[in-house]
């Protein structure tokens, strides 16, 4: 007899884009296969960072007091205090923001932080009203899509597309007519954006900040790839924070996804609410990540690690990947989103004769893993052909994997276009 799940169970055991992605990733990492994995969001292996993490682990292991703080105690439900203090000082030093450890809460990965924030700020309210989260530009991060305790938690807007030279393009926020309706509980944007590599400009972010403040709803900025760490940003932009901004950060893309440390920087009232939810759901947040990086946050070295090792590592990979994809797709209709940050190429295939979901399946049959673009439009109601014409391709892997992967992707794309010409 099959189990009957509760509504909650039914809702959260569906086959989601996040599940598909993480299952593919888990299998690729645990099986000895020759699969080309250009799918999930696993960070690349930056040798200098790996060495430093190893050294830091050895240092912790050598001191009983550090080991105790590492694994021997439950942390405060807001997260490990010394780390939060060090981070508040770092952000104040770097950007002049007026904040303390009381403006920072940790979560079990920023994914869990988004779950708490979205359902705190949107969904059903006591007066019977229903609020949603506005995503001012899609495509937007796949991981938000299925996080609502209620249906239709998101409402999203289509971007303007700016076509650039040399097969590139850029999404721009369509600020004309962008308004925060009464049923909006928060505005959210990832910067750099996963999946596109877009970095919304300072002017676009300032406009969102103003619109959100004028409407008295928080602006959530997902800074998982941004500054001051991990710094996977290739353009010159400024981060922002103020009492109306909820800035979400993570240790994952620094090379530490296994420690599951997410960081929320926000006004105290929001931090307090997160703390209460953490105490109920998990008592405390893990200390391994915070204790591991606390000293380099205190000393500011984490900024140097990012600037000196991580940014150049991914910048070079982005240039390499764009070169490889352009070479392979020569003569076919394609555009790549200008890679300004994060570690994905967002490939747009205008007029693609099959859906991107079908292309994903065909590639998977050949052990090549990407993510179909259609997953990245949570909350977009418009029937837009574009959403079935894109693929997200990670370039965090080795040059060999990227080269072979791009060749295989281009091969499948060409077959799709040629088959449709042949059938005309
Ligand atoms: C834009 C963005 N936000 C949040 C996350 C979640 O990261 P984590 O839960 O590992 O902190 C990811 C992971 O890929 C991401 O790409």
């Amino acid at each position: 007899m099959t189990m009957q799940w509760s509504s909650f169970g039914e809702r959260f055991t569906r086959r989601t884009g996040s599940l598909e992605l993480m299952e593919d990733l888990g299998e690729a990492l645990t099986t000895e296969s020759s699969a080309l994995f250009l799918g999930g969001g696993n960070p690349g292996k930056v040798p200098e960072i790996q060495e430093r993490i190893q050294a830091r682990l050895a240092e912790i292991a050598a001191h009983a007091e550090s080991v105790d703080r590492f694994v021997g105690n439950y942390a405060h439900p807001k997260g490990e205090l010394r780390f939060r203090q060090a981070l508040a000082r770092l952000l104040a030093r770097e950007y002049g923001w007026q904040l303390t450890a009381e403006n920072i809460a940790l979560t079990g990965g920023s994914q869990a932080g988004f779950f708490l924030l979205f359902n705190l700020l949107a969904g059903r309210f006591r007066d019977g009203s229903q609020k949603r989260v506005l995503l001012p530009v899609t495509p937007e991060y796949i991981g938000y899509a299925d996080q609502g305790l209620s249906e239709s938690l998101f409402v999203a807007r289509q971007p303007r597309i700016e076509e650039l030279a040399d097969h590139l393009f850029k999404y721009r926020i369509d600020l004309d007519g962008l308004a925060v309706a009464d049923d909006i509980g928060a505005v959210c944007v990832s910067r750099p954006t996963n999946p596109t590599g877009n970095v919304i400009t300072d002017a676009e972010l300032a406009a969102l900040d103003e619109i959100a403040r004028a409407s008295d709803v928080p602006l959530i900025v997902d800074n998982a790839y941004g500054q001051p760490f991990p710094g996977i940003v290739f353009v010159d932009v400024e981060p922002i924070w103020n009492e109306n901004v909820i800035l979400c950060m993570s240790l994952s893309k620094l090379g530490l996804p296994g420690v599951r440390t997410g960081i929320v920087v926000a006004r105290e009232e929001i931090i307090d609410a997160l703390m209460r939810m953490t105490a109920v759901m998990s008592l405390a947040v893990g200390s391994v990540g915070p204790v591991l990086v606390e000293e380099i946050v205190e000393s500011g070295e984490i900024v140097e690690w990012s600037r000196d090792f991580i940014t150049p590592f991914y910048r070079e990979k982005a240039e390499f990947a764009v070169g490889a994809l352009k070479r392979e797709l020569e003569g076919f209709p394609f555009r790549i989103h200008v890679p300004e940050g994060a570690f994905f190429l967002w490939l747009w295939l205008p007029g693609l004769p099959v859906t991107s979901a079908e292309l994903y399946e065909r590639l998977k049959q050949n052990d090549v893993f990407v993510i179909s673009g259609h997953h990245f439009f949570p909350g977009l109601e418009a029937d837009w052909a574009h959403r079935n014409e894109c693929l997200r391709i990670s370039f965090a892997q080795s040059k060999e994997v990227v080269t072979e992967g791009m060749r295989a992707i281009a091969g499948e794309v060409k077959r799709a276009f040629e088959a449709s010409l042949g059938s005309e």
Side-chain angles (χ1 to χ4, degrees):
M1 196 184 88
T2 47
M3 293 287 294
Q4 293 287 304
W5 301 136
S6 66
S7 309
F8 171 89
E10 277 184 12
R11 187 159 180 75
F12 287 96
T13 56
R14 295 187 288 201
R15 275 211 75 77
T16 61
S18 297
L19 175 66
E20 186 175 281
L21 179 159
M22 294 311 291
E23 249 186 358
D24 284 354
L25 175 62
E27 275 158 32
L29 292 178
T30 49
T31 53
E32 294 273 319
S33 83
S34 55
L36 298 172
F37 200 75
L38 299 95
N42 220 39
K45 308 291 175 217
V46 185
E48 294 87 347
I49 302 291
Q50 288 182 302
E51 279 163 27
R52 282 161 176 78
I53 288 169
Q54 253 185 302
R56 179 71 189 125
L57 282 168
E59 221 173 273
I60 290 170
H63 295 95
E65 188 257 350
S66 309
V67 173
D68 223 25
R69 290 189 44 241
F70 200 52
V71 290
N73 295 322
Y74 285 113
H76 190 280
K78 281 185 192 167
E80 221 274 329
L81 178 62
R82 271 159 58 179
F83 171 78
R84 290 188 294 118
Q85 288 171 331
L87 182 60
R89 283 193 285 266
L90 176 85
L91 295 174
R93 270 198 316 273
E94 288 288 313
Y95 306 118
W97 299 339
Q98 301 279 319
L99 43 77
T100 70
E102 299 311 303
N103 294 108
I104 298 176
L106 306 185
T107 57
S110 60
Q111 184 75 12
F114 286 109
F115 178 83
L116 298 177
L117 285 169
F118 291 150
N119 289 300
L120 181 69
L121 299 166
R124 184 162 295 287
F125 281 66
R126 191 192 296 174
D127 63 3
S129 65
Q130 186 85 26
K131 290 195 178 174
R132 299 191 284 176
V133 176
L134 172 65
L135 305 175
V137 56
T138 44
E140 185 53 279
Y141 174 48
I142 191 171
Y144 305 153
D146 297 288
Q147 291 209 318
L149 288 168
S150 50
E151 295 288 345
S152 309
L153 200 72
F154 297 97
V155 54
R157 280 174 61 94
Q158 219 168 296
R160 285 196 294 109
I161 291 182
E162 192 174 303
E163 297 195 353
L164 305 169
D166 218 10
H167 289 289
L168 297 176
F169 76 107
K170 181 171 167 72
Y171 292 119
R172 297 269 182 199
I173 300 184
D174 188 0
L175 290 168
D176 285 344
L178 175 63
V180 174
D182 287 346
D183 70 339
I184 297 301
V187 179
C188 176
V189 67
S190 63
R191 185 198 204 222
T193 307
N194 174 358
T196 57
N198 194 10
V199 175
I200 65 163
T201 62
D202 287 342
E204 286 172 320
L205 188 59
L208 290 182
D209 181 36
E210 206 177 300
I211 293 169
R213 268 201 274 183
S215 314
D216 213 11
V217 302
L219 170 64
I220 303 173
V221 181
D222 181 352
N223 193 35
Y225 299 85
Q227 294 145 321
F229 59 82
I232 312 176
V233 183
F234 318 128
V235 287
D236 200 13
V237 289
E238 277 294 308
I240 68 164
W241 183 78
N242 57 52
E243 286 269 309
N244 197 52
V245 169
I246 304 176
L247 185 69
C248 298
M249 301 169 64
S250 169
L251 295 187
S252 295
K253 312 302 171 177
L254 199 65
L256 296 168
V259 299
R260 311 305 303 125
T261 301
I263 301 162
V264 180
V265 185
R267 71 168 91 135
E268 287 187 29
E269 189 186 356
I270 292 172
I271 297 305
D272 189 65
L274 292 173
M275 170 190 77
R276 290 163 189 248
M277 292 190 283
T278 292
V280 173
M281 278 178 50
S282 41
L283 303 182
V285 181
S287 305
V288 167
V291 173
L292 192 59
V293 299
E294 184 182 291
E295 280 184 15
I296 58 159
V297 170
E298 185 67 80
S299 66
E301 271 174 88
I302 197 164
V303 181
E304 288 157 32
W305 285 21
S306 302
R307 190 192 53 214
D308 297 345
F309 307 125
I310 299 179
T311 315
F313 176 88
Y314 287 108
R315 187 198 298 275
E316 210 231 301
K317 281 193 175 292
E319 283 165 10
F320 180 83
V322 169
L325 194 52
K326 279 185 181 169
R327 259 194 318 280
E328 295 294 342
L329 281 171
E330 185 63 47
F332 286 80
F334 75 95
R335 283 191 178 271
I336 301 169
H337 194 284
V338 54
E340 297 175 321
F343 44 68
F344 310 103
L345 290 192
W346 180 251
L347 174 63
W348 172 27
L349 299 156
L352 181 68
V354 297
T355 62
S356 54
E358 172 61 26
L359 199 57
Y360 160 82
E361 285 298 339
R362 291 183 189 178
L363 285 162
K364 188 172 166 176
Q365 293 305 314
N366 294 318
D367 270 352
V368 181
F369 291 85
V370 295
I371 311 276
S372 166
H374 75 278
H375 292 296
F376 296 88
F377 296 84
L380 188 71
E381 278 147 23
D383 186 18
W384 189 25
H386 186 80
R387 69 207 287 168
N388 292 312
E389 294 179 337
C390 302
L391 292 180
R392 190 193 80 172
I393 307 166
S394 164
F395 55 76
Q397 311 307 318
S398 70
K399 281 187 177 163
E400 293 70 38
V401 170
V402 170
T403 306
E404 256 191 87
M406 295 305 183
R407 188 163 303 142
I409 293 163
E412 211 53 70
V413 169
K414 288 176 186 176
R415 267 190 287 285
F417 274 112
E418 282 162 357
S420 91
L421 284 178
S423 64
E424 271 173 13

